[in-house]
Amino acid sequence: MAVDAAFARLAQSIQVRIIADEKARSSGETRVIDGQRTGSAQSSMDRSVRLVVDQRLAGVMIDRAWQNPTTGEWHARVLLDRKESGRALDQTVNELRRRSQTAQHRATAVAGWEQIAAWREALEATLEAIDAANARDAVLSSGAWAVSHDELLNAMETAQRGWDEARARARIAVQWTTSSSASIGRAVSDRINELGLLTLVGDADLVIQCDLSLVTSGAFDGRTRATQWELTIQALAPESRRFIASRRETGAAVSRNDPERAARDDAMRRLDVILPGFLNDVFARGGSL
């Protein structure tokens, strides 16, 4: 914990963004002695810190750690080699910039869902590169850097514009008709929303219909029952009613307590597997969607 605290202070001193998780715990007890009620309480907090950039900065050495004999607290001192750390961060920036460029090139060669995903990957990689460049420049203010801040900012604007334009061309409605199908429909909506697309309730260019049917048999040992499930997701053009893509999966779950819940969980896990391919089919075949 002392070493983590030292790393955190180092990161803060050079303006590296950090993530800190704090967990508070408390405990207490009440005693009754001679009719008098007394209470005592203790509280503690654990703080774990990790640096966003490469978990820990390159070029950092733990110099020493020691314990205060009076308080029992541990302390640590870390040293930073600025040149080594700056070079390592610059390499990270360059790698992220190349990843962004690769995604941008892919985005210009594909359409639909794949294009949206590629632009999003380009934007995320560029934003990570900017974070790493900020850390690099804070560690070492000058150097023959592989990628400049201006280049990264231009790349971010290009990726943001491409992502916005690709998303604007998609108008999607996700529908379901039964309570059993609701969890499937919401999962599909969430996956679409993760890429920044808006799912609509009313008019849309594309409709995705979700259905989950459950059939539970009688108990065959007095308690244990089996539930068969059938999952269907299909996309269609609302005006022509033309089917663009479809997936159908079946399975069964056996449980003594709640076979229907077990069946829904099975279907949801299967949905996670088939959904990326289904959405790729939707946008590849949907053309300008």
Side-chain angles (χ1 to χ4, degrees):
M1 290 178 66
V3 171
D4 282 344
F7 271 100
R9 289 173 183 169
L10 172 65
Q12 291 166 339
S13 71
I14 60 173
Q15 300 176 353
V16 177
R17 185 164 56 95
I18 66 169
I19 293 176
D21 296 323
E22 294 185 351
K23 296 180 181 179
R25 295 197 307 265
S26 62
S27 61
E29 61 179 355
T30 301
R31 295 181 180 179
V32 178
I33 302 176
D34 296 332
Q36 298 294 319
R37 184 184 297 271
T38 61
S40 63
Q42 293 181 333
S43 63
S44 63
M45 179 171 290
D46 295 334
R47 181 179 174 87
S48 60
V49 178
R50 67 178 179 85
L51 301 186
V52 171
V53 182
D54 288 345
Q55 299 296 319
R56 286 185 173 178
L57 289 169
V60 177
M61 179 183 69
I62 301 173
D63 181 51
R64 60 183 290 243
W66 68 96
Q67 187 178 29
N68 185 317
T70 303
T71 64
E73 292 182 331
W74 278 92
H75 303 271
R77 182 170 68 183
V78 296
L79 303 178
L80 172 68
D81 184 327
R82 290 179 177 271
K83 289 185 178 180
E84 181 182 349
S85 182
R87 285 194 296 267
L89 286 167
D90 189 49
Q91 182 178 353
T92 299
V93 173
N94 195 31
E95 291 172 353
L96 288 167
R97 179 67 183 110
R98 288 178 179 175
R99 188 179 120 200
S100 174
Q101 289 174 329
T102 300
Q104 286 193 32
H105 291 324
R106 188 168 70 254
T108 59
V110 296
W113 175 264
E114 291 183 359
Q115 185 180 70
I116 295 168
W119 276 122
R120 186 189 186 209
E121 181 182 348
L123 180 59
E124 288 181 338
T126 303
L127 293 174
E128 289 182 32
I130 291 174
D131 280 344
N134 288 335
R136 174 197 69 189
D137 295 346
V139 168
L140 197 62
S141 58
S142 62
W145 303 133
V147 186
S148 68
H149 256 288
D150 288 342
E151 183 179 353
L152 292 173
L153 292 176
N154 289 335
M156 180 186 68
E157 291 178 1
T158 300
Q160 183 71 59
R161 184 169 56 252
W163 189 40
D164 289 342
E165 291 175 353
R167 288 183 298 155
R169 290 191 288 270
R171 292 165 43 85
I172 306 168
V174 181
Q175 300 176 349
W176 59 89
T177 56
T178 66
S179 58
S180 298
S181 306
S183 58
I184 302 297
R186 284 192 289 266
V188 173
S189 295
D190 290 345
R191 182 67 183 91
I192 293 173
N193 292 336
E194 283 176 7
L195 288 186
L197 285 89
L198 179 64
T199 53
L200 308 175
V201 176
D203 295 337
D205 301 317
L206 177 75
V207 175
I208 298 179
Q209 296 176 336
C210 307
D211 182 62
L212 176 64
S213 61
L214 305 174
V215 178
T216 302
S217 65
F220 50 81
D221 67 352
R223 293 180 58 188
T224 306
R225 292 179 297 161
T227 296
Q228 293 182 323
W229 58 267
E230 180 177 336
L231 166 67
T232 305
I233 51 175
Q234 50 192 10
L236 66 151
E239 293 185 1
S240 64
R241 308 304 291 178
R242 175 177 63 91
F243 283 98
I244 297 172
S246 179
R247 289 289 191 281
R248 177 178 173 273
E249 298 285 329
T250 60
V254 177
S255 172
R256 287 190 171 187
N257 299 319
D258 192 344
E260 291 192 357
R261 178 177 179 179
R264 284 193 296 269
D265 291 343
D266 280 354
M268 189 65 70
R269 284 190 289 268
R270 190 58 192 162
L271 177 68
D272 291 338
V273 174
I274 66 173
L275 190 54
F278 169 78
L279 292 173
N280 276 332
D281 287 348
V282 166
F283 284 86
R285 298 175 187 175
S288 62
L289 290 178

